[in-house]
Amino acid sequence: MERFIAMGGLGGGHGRHLGIAYRAHGPDWAELALPYDERLIGDPASGVIASGPIVAMMDMATSVAVWLKRGRFEAHVTLDLRVDYLRPAVPQRTVIGRGECYRITRSVAFVRGIAHDGDPDDPVAHVAGTFMGMKP
């Protein structure tokens, strides 16, 4: 994971633009952070971050979880990512995204995760999905 981060895995492209940062990981999970940024506000009247950046962070967190469970980087694509957006994130708070890979078959990885803004027991969103490996 450290090598992946050092190579700019979370620091380039879309993730860099959104400000997504690495927080922690385990053998089958990864935790990322989306700091509050006025550029990401979806509702100017309330200051609430749009759901899109949160969905992007959860796609990244669950994707990294698959690589951690496999023990290596292997190209894959998001086959399905269901997001249950439960409530708006509280303005000014960093949103934390934790993704877990709970099963891998020959070609499909199954993931789940939550996004929260300080209390994992009061999530902003739940996600569940699958990734398909690109190896023939």
Side-chain angles (χ1 to χ4, degrees):
M1 183 68 186
E2 289 78 14
R3 192 172 130 216
F4 175 73
I5 293 168
M7 292 171 42
L10 296 176
H14 192 91
R16 175 185 231 164
H17 182 72
L18 294 173
I20 295 172
Y22 166 81
R23 267 180 59 99
H25 75 275
D28 60 358
W29 60 270
E31 200 169 89
L32 306 178
L34 177 66
Y36 187 80
D37 186 327
E38 291 183 358
R39 295 176 305 135
L40 306 179
I41 292 174
D43 177 12
S46 66
V48 170
I49 292 177
S51 60
I54 296 170
V55 172
M57 175 180 63
M58 294 311 298
D59 189 33
M60 292 177 69
T62 52
S63 181
V64 172
V66 172
W67 294 327
L68 288 164
K69 187 157 180 94
R70 284 192 190 283
R72 66 184 183 281
F73 174 82
E74 187 176 300
H76 60 219
V77 295
T78 307
L79 198 58
D80 174 51
L81 187 66
R82 175 193 163 119
V83 180
D84 293 325
Y85 191 64
L86 303 173
R87 65 172 179 81
V90 175
Q92 304 297 326
R93 288 191 186 167
T94 294
V95 179
I96 307 301
R98 183 180 175 116
E100 174 193 11
C101 178
Y102 63 92
R103 179 167 170 74
I104 292 181
T105 67
R106 189 174 62 80
S107 58
V108 178
F110 297 85
V111 298
R112 59 186 163 215
I114 67 162
H116 65 87
D117 56 7
D119 181 0
D121 292 329
D122 185 23
V124 170
H126 282 167
V127 300
T130 53
F131 288 85
M132 177 172 269
M134 299 298 290
K135 278 182 134 179

